[in-house]
Amino acid sequence: MKRAQELGVAFVDLDRITPPISALVAISAAQGSRYNVVPLKRKSTVIYVAVSQLRSSLDDLEREIGLKVVQVLAVPAEVEKALDQGKWWKRA
């Protein structure tokens, strides 16, 4: 969380949220694993994703899904757990 503040980006606790279906259908489990992102929420043409490490660009993912991607930092172990268990996509 301190690192997120230092970088001026939001931080999310993945154990405390349940993403809406609109976020889950925008990014598939395969895409989540490929790009190491966990979908959080979607607002119109923007999707917020949890990442363990900020990237300079997620252009390829943006092209694939047709949405602007905004990165939010999360604890690396929580991102890995969400991707490994696929728990995010089981509801979609």
Side-chain angles (χ1 to χ4, degrees):
M1 187 155 131
K2 182 179 177 186
R3 176 126 171 93
Q5 289 175 336
E6 291 171 358
L7 296 171
V9 298
F11 175 84
V12 65
D13 181 347
L14 294 180
D15 288 333
R16 294 181 172 225
I17 67 162
T18 301
I21 298 295
S22 61
L24 298 174
V25 297
I27 296 178
S28 70
Q31 289 168 319
S33 292
R34 186 174 339 123
Y35 293 102
N36 202 33
V37 300
V38 178
L40 299 173
K41 68 179 177 180
R42 180 179 175 180
K43 286 191 172 188
S44 187
T45 61
V46 177
I47 188 157
Y48 295 81
V49 297
V51 297
S52 57
Q53 184 174 342
L54 291 177
R55 297 200 189 119
S56 59
S57 173
L58 285 170
D59 290 345
D60 290 342
L61 177 59
E62 287 180 341
R63 276 191 292 278
E64 283 182 33
I65 64 174
L67 299 170
K68 169 76 176 145
V69 176
V70 176
Q71 300 175 69
V72 177
L73 277 178
V75 174
E78 290 180 8
V79 172
E80 185 176 323
K81 179 176 144 185
L83 292 171
D84 285 348
Q85 293 179 352
K87 71 177 188 177
W88 297 98
W89 291 272
K90 288 181 181 171
R91 293 182 33 234

